Amino acid sequence: MQDPITKLIRIVAEESDQEKVYSCAEDVLQSQIGHRLFTVLLYEPSYKLVSRCYSSDPEHFPVGGNKILGETLWGREVLKGGKTLMSRNREELKMVYPDYSLLFSLGLGSAVNIPVKSGGRTLGMLNLLHDEYFYTREKLKDADLIAGLLAGTFSQVSEAMYA
């Protein structure tokens, strides 16, 4: 049986359907880290836009639409700074997510935002959410590797969306 990261490498190399690539990434992230909600955001700095292009819960967090990036902690740390941001509990989530009441209503209490980068530029981020205190540095040891595998996919989608 193929290990999850090898499977993701193969899917990224062979699959042109981005939905299938992100679905595979969701499976890998579930097996390697864990999550109850997974979303993918693209970032276009020249327009200051973020766009949700994948969601494991499209009912509450639909794909599509653009948002102008305001001055947010995750925008500053993840998109502009290129650093992973971990929010361990509900109090920390309140500081990061304006829609924290929706997250709380779904029983979510922690999050990690992982930048997807290429050539020193942040292309977007992977967002994982789970119960309070679920995420630890140890659980995130492969997060940057998994995000890096998706950089080419992000570039393709970004070029198509913002061309």
Side-chain angles (χ1 to χ4, degrees), residues 54-129:
Y54 184 86
S55 174
S56 66
D57 182 357
E59 178 185 343
H60 294 102
F61 302 94
V63 170
N66 298 319
K67 294 181 195 176
I68 294 176
L69 179 65
E71 189 56 37
T72 63
L73 180 60
W74 60 260
R76 197 170 44 252
E77 293 292 313
V78 183
L79 297 175
K80 293 179 182 175
K83 301 175 193 164
T84 295
L85 177 65
M86 184 170 40
S87 303
R88 295 176 298 256
N89 57 46
R90 288 179 173 218
E91 286 306 310
E92 291 177 5
L93 277 182
K94 281 184 180 181
M95 294 185 295
V96 177
Y97 290 94
D99 59 349
Y100 66 84
S101 58
L102 173 58
L103 299 174
F104 293 173
S105 75
L106 298 171
L108 301 168
S110 67
V112 61
N113 310 105
I114 308 158
V116 175
K117 303 183 284 188
S118 179
R121 179 175 171 245
T122 301
L123 306 171
M125 68 175 143
L126 309 177
N127 305 305
L128 306 173
L129 291 94

Side-chain angles (χ1 to χ4, degrees), residues 5-53:
I5 292 179
T6 301
K7 180 181 177 185
L8 180 60
I9 291 168
R10 185 182 57 74
I11 293 289
V12 167
E14 297 174 2
E15 186 58 62
S16 62
D17 182 339
Q18 303 310 312
E19 180 82 12
K20 289 180 182 177
V21 172
Y22 295 139
S23 178
C24 181
E26 178 182 359
D27 293 344
V28 171
L29 288 162
Q30 184 64 267
S31 70
Q32 301 298 112
I33 300 170
H35 59 82
R36 290 185 41 220
L37 173 65
F38 170 61
T39 64
V40 176
L41 293 179
L42 293 176
Y43 174 50
E44 180 46 59
S46 59
Y47 298 111
K48 296 184 180 172
L49 289 176
V50 291
S51 306
R52 186 179 299 118
C53 63

Side-chain angles (χ1 to χ4, degrees), residues 110-150:
S110 67
V112 61
N113 310 105
I114 308 158
V116 175
K117 303 183 284 188
S118 179
R121 179 175 171 245
T122 301
L123 306 171
M125 68 175 143
L126 309 177
N127 305 305
L128 306 173
L129 291 94
H130 211 297
D131 301 328
E132 271 193 300
Y133 301 103
F134 181 81
Y135 294 109
T136 63
R137 293 285 170 209
E138 178 58 28
K139 283 184 181 171
L140 300 177
K141 64 182 172 55
D142 291 330
D144 290 336
L145 169 68
I146 296 166
L149 294 173
L150 297 171

